[in-house]
Amino acid sequence: MEPIRPEVDAFVLDWLQREPLLRSYFFEERDGNCRLTSSFASKLSETAPMWARLVAPVAEWFTQQIHKSRTSQSRSRLPVQLTPATRQEKKVTSNVERELSFRRANVCVSCGKKIHSRSTNCDECAKEKRPERMIEVARLGRVVTLLPEAQAKRSATQKVNTQAVWDWNPTDYPTWLTSDLYSAKIQPRLVSLSCSSVAKRLGVSVSYADQIRKGRVPHPRHWQTLAKLVGWSRNSKPCCRNR
Ligand SMILES: [Zn+2]
């Protein structure tokens, strides 16, 4: 087996990366030695045809060398045919993995239970891991918001908003659009809109848009845009103050 040791190691490492080994594959003897159970040995023996094909050229070469040394005058070759002689046979052998009857079981990476789907965990383990995953996602979210790029972006947005408040002139806006009217007629209609549509029209973050939808009163400069967004108009009243 030594000439094909790299192939065997690659096979084992690849297998270990894909799935955990089952506890039932091993048992420990009284002296502490760890042994393979017969069921696991039987499973592993299914890989024998693959190793046989890989080791065949080496075995064949070795046999021919012995044969040659014994009959140094003769150029005859032993009629050994361990390796495929025809192109057709070579083609079939080239993909030993495909031919291999050995199939790795699809098991949960946490508990080793057999699973049918392509997921990495069984249902029970996935359920247990969900809170852990949420905590990790939240942690990553916090890390991202502290990055210099995110802080620079927040600072730029803050500047734009401050400037907009400075530039805002109440006389440019309709007189009928009062705080009471906003609370009574416009705000209740905002809940039917999506956060993203509100955010896009106002040029604010989705989380701030969500707060506005849920009742936070935005700066008055946003009221007219929100009135249009919910389809509210007061045509009977003058829409603008005389300038
Ligand atoms: Zn599991």
Side-chain angles (χ1 to χ4, degrees):
M1 281 297 265
E2 280 316 306
I4 61 162
R5 174 68 55 193
E7 283 82 1
V8 176
D9 287 349
F11 174 84
V12 173
L13 289 173
D14 176 59
W15 186 13
L16 291 177
Q17 278 179 336
R18 285 165 195 259
E19 62 183 80
L21 297 174
L22 296 181
R23 194 184 174 83
S24 60
Y25 287 168
F26 309 95
F27 68 94
E28 193 180 349
E29 293 186 324
R30 284 179 175 220
D31 59 4
N33 270 327
C34 199
R35 301 267 180 196
L36 308 186
T37 56
S38 56
S39 63
F40 187 45
S42 158
K43 188 177 167 68
L44 287 175
S45 71
E46 291 171 19
T47 65
M50 180 161 75
W51 312 126
R53 286 193 190 89
L54 288 171
V55 89
V58 182
E60 201 173 282
W61 170 84
F62 188 65
T63 315
Q64 294 296 354
Q65 293 304 310
I66 294 174
H67 176 66
K68 265 193 228 167
S69 68
R70 290 186 64 200
T71 55
S72 55
Q73 301 305 313
S74 161
R75 292 198 166 202
S76 70
R77 278 177 66 85
L78 274 179
V80 188
Q81 281 297 316
L82 288 173
T83 49
T86 66
R87 184 179 288 185
Q88 185 64 28
E89 280 178 61
K90 275 182 185 161
K91 196 176 169 190
V92 173
T93 315
S94 66
N95 200 345
V96 284
E97 182 75 20
R98 196 178 297 164
E99 279 187 57
L100 189 62
S101 60
F102 179 87
R103 288 283 174 270
R104 298 180 187 95
N106 194 17
V107 296
C108 169
V109 295
S110 302
C111 68
K113 198 168 116 184
K114 273 192 183 172
I115 46 176
H116 297 293
S117 64
R118 288 183 149 198
S119 56
T120 48
N121 284 109
C122 68
D123 289 347
E124 289 84 51
C125 292
K127 227 179 273 174
E128 275 176 31
K129 281 179 175 288
R130 213 163 286 149
E132 280 173 36
R133 228 174 22 236
M134 292 303 288
I135 290 168
E136 181 60 9
V137 167
R139 192 189 65 79
L140 288 174
R142 279 196 298 278
V143 168
V144 168
T145 58
L146 291 174
L147 290 175
E149 295 83 12
Q151 288 181 344
K153 204 175 163 189
R154 273 203 302 279
S155 167
T157 308
Q158 194 74 43
K159 266 187 198 165
V160 170
N161 287 337
T162 308
Q163 190 60 47
V165 171
W166 276 104
D167 292 344
W168 182 66
N169 181 357
T171 58
D172 291 344
Y173 288 80
T175 50
W176 56 263
L177 196 42
T178 61
S179 168
D180 289 343
L181 186 131
Y182 174 82
S183 301
K185 304 291 183 189
I186 298 168
Q187 205 287 315
R189 297 174 186 217
L190 291 175
V191 286
S192 63
L193 302 174
S194 69
C195 296
S196 56
S197 66
V198 174
K200 203 173 163 187
R201 286 294 283 274
L202 298 184
V204 298
S205 69
V206 174
S207 65
Y208 183 52
D210 187 39
Q211 290 172 27
I212 293 173
R213 277 179 67 247
K214 289 173 179 165
R216 179 168 173 173
V217 180
H219 189 267
R221 73 181 193 279
H222 292 309
W223 293 354
Q224 195 172 16
T225 308
L226 290 173
K228 276 184 195 161
L229 204 55
V230 297
W232 174 263
S233 65
R234 290 289 295 267
N235 294 329
S236 55
K237 298 224 171 181
C239 87
C240 294
R241 219 181 238 176
N242 291 333
R243 293 178 195 174

